[in-house]
Amino acid sequence: MVKRVYNFNAGPATLPLPVLEKAQSELLDYKGTGISIMETSHRAKEFDDVIKEASSLMKEVYGIPDNYKVLWLTGGASTQFFMIPKNLMKSEQGADYVNTGTWSKKAIKEAKLLGNVNVVASSEDKNFSYIPRDIKFSQGASYVHITSNNTIFGTQWLTYPDTGDVPLITDMSSDIMARKIDVGKFGLIYAGAQKNMGPSGVTAVIIREDLIESGPDELPTMLKYKTHAEKDSLFNTPPCFPIYICKLVMEWLKENGGIEGAENRNKQKAEAIYKVIDESDGYYKGHAELDSRSLMNVTFRLPSDELGAKCIEEAKAQGLTGLKGHRSVGGMRASMYNAMPVEGAKKLAEFLKEFQENNKVEG
Ligand SMILES: *Cc1c(COP(=O)(O)O)cnc(C)c1O
């Protein structure tokens, strides 16, 4: 038996074991072709089936309406930070951005190079521990951009803002397909695959058709959504193997209760850890405010940095890895994306309770 641990890394993150096993079993001889899918032409029928199924399964499982396209692109979510304004920032008024953390800031920085950016709300005043409410959006903005889940700070939009006719564009890199949403309320959703969908190297973009059409003609070919939409993400060689893994992840999701199943498991996992934090008499201090807590990344600190380091080390010895918090928050972070089993979260919860018992602080 191969030794596997519970991997709480923030990304690249854990993948479903059945997906890895399937990939392993097909690695050398893909469906009787005698070659790997990695060695297959992206124009071959075998790969064409893979990319079509990845998109159609994603549409089915996530409930994506017919007037949206799924694109499989490269360059990570970070490339979307400039591709979005390049394609969609039109009016003099520019676009509205909400600043809820490091990734929002990076998106804002790129957009500012290309046009007017209105930062209409920010939670920087409290080290991004909450999601701003009652935001007033600008008149005539080209779009509104938000970061759905703030991977580093452990906050998440529990309900999305109503932006009326202005397209809502959302970085869902760390919570795509983690819960049921109304995709029809968004203009564009994008996500680097490496947290909730597959390996690094591919970025999924779900885009409403009218936004594809409205892009400018003068952009370099590779930067236009239209190019990739017209060629079904096969304008150039796409990241074939990561797309193949995403397809396996979609199949796994479908077989395991779809989005409802994933959401249900994600809630159980997050609740298990938040419960330990809330019942610890302040031993574990959550970073996120209660109404902004992420289902995906649970961020918390211990009474001292020394205890934090000890806790991370002891957890690792018990097969619970990847728990070190990001330096901008400190402490610990448990990232529990779709592929983290409920048992992993339960084991971590038990471990944290015991750690507190065994490492009491005086006064
Ligand atoms: C991890 C992450 C990214 C990083 O994107 P790349 O694919 O590495 O470019 C962007 N946004 C969010 C919210 C993330 O969690």
Side-chain angles (χ1 to χ4, degrees):
M1 262 294 277
V2 182
K3 183 169 178 282
R4 300 266 303 167
V5 298
Y6 289 116
N7 165 11
F8 293 90
N9 276 322
T14 192
L15 284 164
L17 186 56
V19 165
L20 294 176
E21 287 169 341
K22 181 92 194 273
Q24 185 181 41
S25 76
E26 293 183 333
L27 191 67
L28 301 184
D29 175 10
Y30 185 73
K31 299 197 168 168
T33 56
I35 60 174
S36 173
I37 192 72
M38 267 193 274
E39 303 167 298
T40 302
S41 164
H42 61 295
R43 307 283 174 210
K45 179 176 186 316
E46 286 79 18
F47 185 73
D48 200 53
D49 288 348
V50 165
I51 193 165
K52 285 208 173 89
E53 274 171 47
S55 304
S56 66
L57 279 168
M58 186 175 185
K59 282 189 153 181
E60 182 188 336
V61 173
Y62 211 16
I64 301 172
D66 287 341
N67 60 326
Y68 286 73
K69 275 219 160 205
V70 175
L71 309 178
W72 302 96
L73 308 181
T74 51
S78 301
T79 291
Q80 295 309 306
F81 294 165
F82 64 83
M83 216 165 141
I84 288 161
K86 272 284 193 196
N87 280 270
L88 302 173
M89 206 193 269
K90 297 203 157 81
S91 59
E92 271 300 299
Q93 287 92 330
D96 283 0
Y97 279 71
V98 180
N99 180 11
T100 52
T102 310
W103 295 112
S104 303
K105 274 183 161 173
K106 290 189 176 183
I108 290 166
K109 179 172 176 239
E110 297 304 296
K112 277 188 173 165
L113 298 171
L114 300 165
N116 280 327
V117 169
N118 323 300
V119 179
V120 289
S122 167
S123 51
E124 192 159 22
D125 57 334
K126 291 186 184 168
N127 197 22
F128 301 114
S129 59
Y130 69 101
I131 299 293
R133 321 252 152 211
D134 305 321
I135 301 166
K136 251 190 90 59
F137 297 104
S138 315
Q139 285 285 319
S142 301
Y143 59 84
V144 171
H145 180 282
I146 64 171
T147 312
S148 178
N149 182 72
N150 299 281
T151 324
I152 290 173
F153 298 94
T155 63
Q156 188 177 27
W157 292 77
L158 299 185
T159 56
Y160 291 108
D162 182 1
T163 57
D165 291 338
V166 178
L168 178 60
I169 294 189
T170 305
D171 179 356
M172 279 195 203
S173 291
S174 54
D175 66 348
I176 193 162
M177 303 189 87
R179 57 182 174 177
K180 201 168 168 55
I181 61 164
D182 182 355
V183 176
K185 290 224 156 76
F186 296 82
L188 185 156
I189 291 169
Y190 64 100
Q194 66 272 20
K195 284 153 189 155
N196 231 352
M197 288 177 72
S200 62
V202 67
T203 308
V205 173
I206 304 169
I207 181 170
R208 212 173 59 207
E209 275 165 2
D210 59 293
L211 295 178
I212 300 172
E213 292 315 316
S214 71
D217 287 329
E218 67 276 8
L219 290 183
T221 312
M222 276 295 283
L223 290 191
K224 280 185 213 162
Y225 289 121
K226 214 180 286 181
T227 302
H228 302 286
E230 277 169 8
K231 300 283 184 200
D232 292 319
S233 307
L234 290 165
F235 169 74
N236 72 323
T237 319
C240 298
F241 195 72
I243 293 170
Y244 158 74
I245 299 288
C246 288
K247 186 207 83 152
L248 297 183
V249 169
M250 297 303 150
E251 288 172 349
W252 172 83
L253 269 175
K254 190 177 166 181
E255 285 161 16
N256 286 278
I259 282 296
E260 287 85 358
E263 176 166 2
N264 187 329
R265 291 189 295 277
N266 290 334
K267 283 184 173 156
Q268 289 182 53
K269 290 181 276 177
E271 275 163 20
I273 309 300
Y274 286 125
K275 186 162 181 282
V276 174
I277 293 174
D278 293 342
E279 293 177 355
S280 73
D281 282 327
Y283 188 85
Y284 297 112
K285 277 202 178 59
H287 179 72
E289 291 185 8
L290 298 189
D291 64 358
S292 303
R293 281 175 158 179
S294 167
L295 282 183
M296 304 273 92
N297 314 90
V298 179
T299 48
F300 55 100
R301 272 181 296 265
L302 280 79
S304 69
D305 290 347
E306 290 69 33
L307 279 172
K310 186 170 183 229
C311 190
I312 291 163
E313 200 183 300
E314 289 185 13
K316 192 171 175 196
Q318 296 207 18
L320 304 161
T321 68
L323 287 162
K324 192 168 165 30
H326 189 274
R327 64 186 176 285
S328 43
V329 180
M332 295 175 72
R333 169 173 56 175
S335 299
M336 300 181 291
Y337 304 117
N338 284 352
M340 170 60 64
V342 175
E343 300 77 61
K346 288 197 172 146
K347 189 169 172 199
L348 175 61
E350 279 310 309
F351 165 79
L352 290 172
K353 271 192 271 184
E354 276 171 33
F355 185 86
Q356 181 180 0
E357 251 333 280
N358 298 336
N359 296 273
K360 290 209 171 83
V361 281
E362 300 306 320

